[in-house]
Amino acid sequence: MGSLDSNTPTDHAAGQFSPLDPEEFRRQAHQMVDFIADYYRKIETYPVLSQVQPAYLHSQLPQTPPYRPEPMDAIMKDVQSQIIPGITHWLSPNFFGFFPATVSTAAFLGEMLCTCFNSVGFNWLASPASTELEMVVMDWLAHALKLPSSFMFSMVTSLSGTGGGVIQNTTSEAVLVTLVAARDRALGVHGIDFLSKLAVYASDQTHSTFSKACRIAGINPANIRSLPTSVEGGFALSPAVLRSAVEEDLAAGLIPLYLCTTVGTTSTTAVDPIGALADVARDYGVWVHVDCAYGGSACICPEFRHHLNGVDLVDSVSLSPHKWLLSYLDCCCLWVKQPGSLVRALSTNPEYLKNKPSESSSVVDFKDWQVGTGRRFKSLRLWLVMRSYGLANLQSHIRSDVRMARMFERLVRSDPRFEVTVPRLFSLVCFRFVPKRARGPGQIERANRRLLDWVNGTGRAFMTHTVAGGKFMLRFAVGATLTEERHVLAAWKLIKEGADGLERS
Amino acid sequence: MGSLDSNTPTDHAAGQFSPLDPEEFRRQAHQMVDFIADYYRKIETYPVLSQVQPAYLHSQLPQTPPYRPEPMDAIMKDVQSQIIPGITHWLSPNFFGFFPATVSTAAFLGEMLCTCFNSVGFNWLASPASTELEMVVMDWLAHALKLPSSFMFSMVTSLSGTGGGVIQNTTSEAVLVTLVAARDRALGVHGIDFLSKLAVYASDQTHSTFSKACRIAGINPANIRSLPTSVEGGFALSPAVLRSAVEEDLAAGLIPLYLCTTVGTTSTTAVDPIGALADVARDYGVWVHVDCAYGGSACICPEFRHHLNGVDLVDSVSLSPHKWLLSYLDCCCLWVKQPGSLVRALSTNPEYLKNKPSESSSVVDFKDWQVGTGRRFKSLRLWLVMRSYGLANLQSHIRSDVRMARMFERLVRSDPRFEVTVPRLFSLVCFRFVPKRARGPGQIERANRRLLDWVNGTGRAFMTHTVAGGKFMLRFAVGATLTEERHVLAAWKLIKEGADGLERS
C-alpha cells in the first residue's frame, strides 16, 4: 500500500491502511495464539455436536458488510458468542463421528508457515522450495508406507523410482485426476467417441465420491459399476465378482477403464484385497487405484502393512494424512507410477507461465498433476509432522487409537444388550443396541436411531451411523487427537445410560 | 492419545506422546508468530525470485523420514537455511510478477481460526457455523460487488434472492463445477450420447484453466473454441465473433453449451463485454460464466463497477479474493443463480452422511456445490477481512494499487525507449523496451527477454512476461500487500538500469 505524497517508507502511525504491518501482525497473532490455546484447553466444556437450529446465524449478523473497520476485540467476542455455538467440535476428545480429522502442534506450525509465505507453487519457478519439499515429503511418506520405489521420484540416479507423489486437497480430486488420466489414455487408443463406452468399477462400499468423480469426468452413469459385497466377505470386493462384471461389460461392447479399491471403507473400514483385484484388472488393462484415505495411515505400522499387499501392482494410491496422521485439513497424498499420464491429461502451457526450468524439463510443475492452477505450500505441514514427531511417535499414535478402539469393542461385547456388527480392523467399532423386547430389524433400527439422537443430543459425545449389509449400525470412531481412555470409557457409560433410558421408556 | 494404564487425565509431563498439548501449543505457536513477524519485517532483504537451481533441496535432506523426533529449533534452522532460499517471495514488496497474491493480518488470523477448529463442513450438521458463515460472507461480498439478488441466498422471506455463493479452492474448480452443471443440464435434454457434440466458447485470452476444465469434464477437445481477439479490440471477445462461432457450430450439428467470459484476463487484464456477450449466449441457451478472478475485486469501487455491467444476465460468477482482496490462498468465490443445477450434478447421499437437517432440505450442504467432500472453514478469513477493514479500507487498498500502477505507466511513457503495449485498466502495466538499434520484432523480443532475466536475476524485483497480439511484452503487476510507491520507483529505476546496460552491451 503506497503513499502518493511521499517516497519515504510509509509511516504506519499516520493512520494509513497497512494490512500487514509486521508489529501489528505480531501483536494480534500472539493474541490469537492465546485464544486458540485456551480453546483447546477448554474444548471439553462445549457440546460436541452443535445444538443450533438451521439459519441460527442469519438473524445475528447484518445482511451487508460494514463500511467502516471494526476492532478485532469486537470480532473475537462474536467468534465466541456467535461462531463457536455453531461449531461441531471435531477436535473435541468426545468426537467419535465420521472419521476423526486429526491435528497436532507441529502441523499447526507448518500451516502457519504455509500461510506466512503464501507462495503459489503452480510451477517450480514460482517457488522452488514448495515443489521440491513436496517431492521430498511424498517420498518420505512412501518410504514410511513401504510403497515400492515405482511410486517415488527419481531426481538422482541413485534413486531407482520413476513415479512420484503430489498433495491434493481431497480424495475426490485424487480419484478425479487419475480417472481423467486413465480416461484420456484409453481415448487416445479408441477415440473420443468411445467415451460413453468406458466402464468403471468399485464395490458398493466405496466412498460416494468415486461415482461423483466419474460423473464429473463424463463417464456414462450407466457404466459406473457398484459391485455387491457381503457381511460374510467382510464387505470386501471379491476378485471373482470383479472379473465377471468386467467380462459382462466386454461382452456388451464396453471398455473396462478404472477400478477403485479401498483400504478402510468409510462405512465399516472394510479392506479390499488389492493384489488379487489388481491381478484381475491387469488382465484387462484396467487402471487400479487404491483409496486408503483412512486405513493407509495405519500401514506405517508393520502389523498393519499387509493391508497394502499387492500395492506394487496398482497404478495409483491416495491417503489423507488429515484423517489419521495429525495434519489438519486439507491434505490428501496421491502417488502415481506414471506421472506422465497425469501430465498429458492435465497440462497447460500458457505464455504467461512459460519459463526456462519448465521448458528444460528439469523440474516438476505440480499444476499439471491437479485440477487447479494455484496451490499452497502444504508439504510444510507434513514435513513438520514427520520431523517433529518421527515415525516412532506416529506409530505409537496409531497404536494408541487402535488400543482404545479394541477396549471399546471389548466393552460392547461385555454387555449382552449390544452386539459388534462388523469385526473391527482399525480404530472404528461398528455396533448396535439390540433391546430385549425389540421385534424385528425395524424396531432395532428405531431403537438405535433413538439412542444415537439421545447420545448426540447430550453434547457429551458424538457418534454417527451407517447401514451395511442392510443393517443399521452405530459407528464409534476413536482417534480425535485429544481423546484419551477416559473419554472412551465415559462415552461407553453414556451409551449404556441411553440404552437404560430406552429400555425403561 | 490415551493411556492404557490409567483412567485419569494424561500427565503430559510423563513423556507420553501428546501432539496437541495446549501449553506446548501455546509456547511453540508464540515462537512461530515471532518468526513470521520477523520474516515480514525483513522480507525485503531476500531476493524476490529464488536463485536456487533445480533439485537444490534433494541433496540437503535425507531420503527417508526420521524415526526419532527432532526438536523444533533444529527444524526452524532448516526452514531458514534450506527452505527460505528456495522460496520466491510472493509477499515481497518488490514482487510484480503474475498477479499478486495479497494477504493481511486479519486474513492470517482468520486462517489460524480455521485451522484451529479444523471443522470439516461437508454438510450443515458437520459444523453449522461453517456453512452459515459462508452463506453470510458470500452474500456480503455479493452486496459489495452490487451483484443482483439473484446471486444471493434467500434464507428468510425478506431476502428476495434465489441463488447463492460458495467458496471454491481455485477458479479452475469454479469453472469445472459450473461446466459440469451446464453439461448435465444439456445432457438431461439430449441424452448422454450427445456429450461429444457439446461446444464451449471463450476468447483466446481466457485463462488456460478453462480448456483444462473442459477436458476434465469430458468435453470433446475438438469443440473447445478459442475465439480470436485483437489488440485493436483491447483483447476483448467480440459478441459478433461469438455469434458466428455459435452459428457455425449449430450448422455443424453441435450443441452450444457454455461461454466463459473474463473481467481482467491474465495476460493483459482485458475485459470482455459481459452484457453484450450474454445477450448473444441467451439466444442459444448457453450457460454464461464470468471469471473475474482478478478484476472483480476492483468492482467493489464504484468507478470500476461498470466492468460487471450485464452480470444480471449471466449464470455464474467467480472471483478470487486471494488475488486482490487480502485473503491468502486459496479462496475463490463462486456465485450461481441456480444452485439446484450444481446440486443435481454434484450431489451424493451416502448413508453415513444422512441426517435430519439435510433430509428436511432446510439447510445447504456445500459438499454438493464442489468437487470434493471435505472442506475447510474458509469463510472465517473473508469475514475477518471484511469486518476488520471495512469496505472503506478495501476500496482504498484497490485504489492505492491502481494509483501506483498509473504512476508506473506514466514513468514508462516518459521514457522514449519504452512503450506501453496495452492500455492499463487496473493495476497491471504491460510494456516493453524498444531499443533504438533493434531491427524487427525478433530483436525487440530478445532484448526484452534479456532485460527481464537481468532484472529478475538481481533479486531486487520480479516481473513476468506475456505474449498478446503476437507481441512479447513485460508485465508489471502492482499490488503485493507490502508494496509502497518507493518500491515501484525503485523497480522502475532498476528496469532503466537494465536497459542502459543492454544498450551499452
Side-chain angles (χ1 to χ4, degrees), chain A residues 205-283:
Chain A
Q205 299 299 305
T206 304
H207 195 286
S208 58
T209 202
F210 172 66
S211 64
K212 178 168 169 175
C214 293
R215 283 151 54 201
I216 291 174
I219 301 296
N220 188 338
N223 301 345
I224 302 174
R225 306 279 166 251
S226 176
L227 305 175
T229 60
S230 67
V231 63
E232 298 75 27
F235 297 112
L237 178 57
S238 142
V241 169
L242 172 66
R243 187 178 294 275
S244 78
V246 170
E247 287 287 349
E248 201 174 310
D249 284 339
L250 278 174
L254 301 183
I255 303 167
L257 179 73
Y258 186 100
L259 166 68
C260 183
T261 65
T262 309
V263 173
T265 60
T266 307
S267 252
T268 67
T269 71
V271 175
D272 290 333
I274 300 173
L277 291 167
D279 272 338
V280 174
R282 280 154 63 109
D283 287 346

Side-chain angles (χ1 to χ4, degrees), chain A residues 12-198:
Chain A
H12 294 302
Q16 268 213 328
F17 181 48
S18 303
L20 194 67
D21 175 78
E23 295 316 314
E24 182 67 8
F25 170 88
R26 193 189 307 268
R27 195 181 64 77
Q28 294 201 0
H30 277 310
Q31 287 178 2
M32 186 59 86
V33 166
D34 285 326
F35 178 92
I36 295 172
D38 292 344
Y39 168 75
Y40 286 153
R41 179 163 280 287
K42 66 190 174 201
I43 193 166
E44 287 186 56
T45 64
Y46 298 113
V48 190
L49 177 68
S50 170
Q51 310 286 312
V52 300
Q53 294 301 310
Y56 89 99
L57 192 58
H58 189 259
S59 55
Q60 298 186 59
L61 295 182
Q63 290 181 15
T64 54
Y67 184 71
R68 297 283 167 208
E70 297 180 57
M72 192 53 71
D73 287 352
I75 301 172
M76 291 310 294
K77 273 194 194 120
D78 290 347
V79 168
Q80 194 70 55
S81 66
Q82 297 173 338
I83 302 301
I84 286 186
I87 287 182
T88 294
H89 298 276
W90 283 69
L91 267 53
S92 167
N94 299 310
F95 184 98
F96 303 102
F98 309 114
F99 282 129
T102 61
V103 306
S104 59
T105 296
F108 196 100
L109 301 181
E111 181 66 8
M112 287 174 80
L113 268 183
C114 166
T115 309
C116 158
F117 297 129
N118 201 42
S119 65
V120 189
F122 40 69
N123 59 19
W124 182 87
L125 181 89
S127 209
S130 175
T131 298
E132 297 205 9
L133 188 66
E134 189 158 331
M135 295 169 78
V136 168
V137 299
M138 289 302 295
D139 273 6
W140 279 14
L141 191 49
H143 275 289
L145 293 162
K146 301 203 189 315
L147 294 186
S149 60
S150 48
F151 286 108
M152 299 183 199
F153 288 103
S154 59
M155 279 166 43
V156 295
T157 47
S158 65
L159 282 180
S160 55
T162 52
V166 59
I167 301 178
Q168 307 278 334
N169 296 306
T170 60
T171 300
S172 313
E173 287 155 71
V175 170
L176 178 59
V177 295
T178 51
L179 186 64
V180 167
R183 183 199 69 187
D184 284 6
R185 191 178 65 178
L187 295 181
V189 175
H190 299 281
I192 180 81
D193 290 338
F194 282 80
L195 178 48
S196 66
K197 299 286 184 194
L198 301 177

Side-chain angles (χ1 to χ4, degrees), chain A residues 243-358:
Chain A
R243 187 178 294 275
S244 78
V246 170
E247 287 287 349
E248 201 174 310
D249 284 339
L250 278 174
L254 301 183
I255 303 167
L257 179 73
Y258 186 100
L259 166 68
C260 183
T261 65
T262 309
V263 173
T265 60
T266 307
S267 252
T268 67
T269 71
V271 175
D272 290 333
I274 300 173
L277 291 167
D279 272 338
V280 174
R282 280 154 63 109
D283 287 346
Y284 305 94
V286 166
W287 181 297
V288 183
H289 180 74
V290 177
D291 166 11
C292 58
Y294 162 77
S297 295
C299 300
I300 64 169
C301 302
E303 67 271 30
F304 289 104
R305 174 58 177 74
H306 64 94
H307 291 306
L308 284 178
N309 283 353
V311 71
D312 48 309
L313 302 175
V314 312
D315 298 278
S316 51
V317 181
S318 60
L319 181 159
S320 297
H322 63 234
K323 280 200 158 62
W324 208 2
L325 282 180
L326 308 176
S327 300
Y328 287 97
L329 285 180
D330 37 7
C331 177
C332 173
C333 294
L334 168 67
W335 293 270
V336 291
K337 264 190 192 157
Q338 298 188 316
S341 60
L342 281 187
V343 173
R344 274 187 294 279
L346 300 169
S347 73
T348 56
N349 191 24
E351 183 63 40
Y352 44 82
L353 296 183
K354 284 182 183 166
N355 64 85
K356 286 178 193 161
S358 295

Side-chain angles (χ1 to χ4, degrees), chain B residues 12-298:
Chain B
H12 294 303
Q16 269 212 329
F17 181 49
S18 303
L20 194 67
D21 175 78
E23 295 315 312
E24 181 67 9
F25 170 89
R26 192 188 308 267
R27 195 179 65 77
Q28 295 201 359
H30 277 309
Q31 288 178 2
M32 186 59 85
V33 166
D34 284 325
F35 178 93
I36 295 172
D38 292 343
Y39 168 76
Y40 288 152
R41 179 162 280 289
K42 65 189 175 199
I43 193 167
E44 287 187 57
T45 65
Y46 299 113
V48 190
L49 177 68
S50 170
Q51 309 285 312
V52 299
Q53 294 302 308
Y56 89 99
L57 192 57
H58 189 259
S59 55
Q60 298 186 58
L61 295 182
Q63 291 182 14
T64 54
Y67 185 70
R68 297 283 167 208
E70 297 180 57
M72 192 54 70
D73 288 352
I75 301 172
M76 291 310 294
K77 273 195 193 120
D78 290 347
V79 168
Q80 195 69 55
S81 67
Q82 297 174 337
I83 302 302
I84 287 186
I87 287 182
T88 294
H89 298 277
W90 283 68
L91 267 53
S92 166
N94 299 310
F95 184 99
F96 303 101
F98 309 114
F99 282 128
T102 61
V103 305
S104 60
T105 296
F108 195 100
L109 301 181
E111 181 65 7
M112 286 174 79
L113 267 183
C114 166
T115 309
C116 158
F117 296 129
N118 202 42
S119 64
V120 189
F122 40 70
N123 59 20
W124 182 87
L125 180 89
S127 208
S130 173
T131 298
E132 298 205 7
L133 188 66
E134 189 158 331
M135 296 169 77
V136 168
V137 300
M138 290 301 297
D139 273 7
W140 278 15
L141 192 50
H143 275 288
L145 293 163
K146 300 201 190 314
L147 294 187
S149 61
S150 49
F151 286 108
M152 299 181 198
F153 288 102
S154 60
M155 278 166 42
V156 296
T157 48
S158 65
L159 283 179
S160 55
T162 52
V166 60
I167 302 178
Q168 306 279 333
N169 296 306
T170 60
T171 300
S172 313
E173 287 155 71
V175 170
L176 178 59
V177 296
T178 51
L179 184 65
V180 167
R183 183 199 67 187
D184 284 6
R185 189 177 68 178
L187 294 182
V189 175
H190 298 281
I192 180 81
D193 290 339
F194 282 80
L195 178 48
S196 67
K197 299 286 184 197
L198 301 177
V200 298
Y201 307 86
S203 90
D204 57 7
Q205 300 297 306
T206 304
H207 195 286
S208 58
T209 202
F210 171 65
S211 65
K212 178 168 168 173
C214 293
R215 283 150 55 202
I216 291 174
I219 301 297
N220 188 339
N223 301 344
I224 302 173
R225 307 278 167 252
S226 175
L227 305 175
T229 60
S230 67
V231 63
E232 298 76 24
F235 298 112
L237 178 58
S238 143
V241 169
L242 173 67
R243 187 178 292 278
S244 79
V246 170
E247 287 286 351
E248 201 174 310
D249 284 339
L250 279 173
L254 300 183
I255 304 167
L257 179 73
Y258 187 100
L259 166 68
C260 183
T261 66
T262 310
V263 173
T265 60
T266 307
S267 250
T268 66
T269 72
V271 175
D272 290 332
I274 300 173
L277 291 167
D279 273 338
V280 174
R282 280 153 63 108
D283 287 347
Y284 305 95
V286 166
W287 181 297
V288 183
H289 181 75
V290 176
D291 165 11
C292 57
Y294 161 76
S297 295

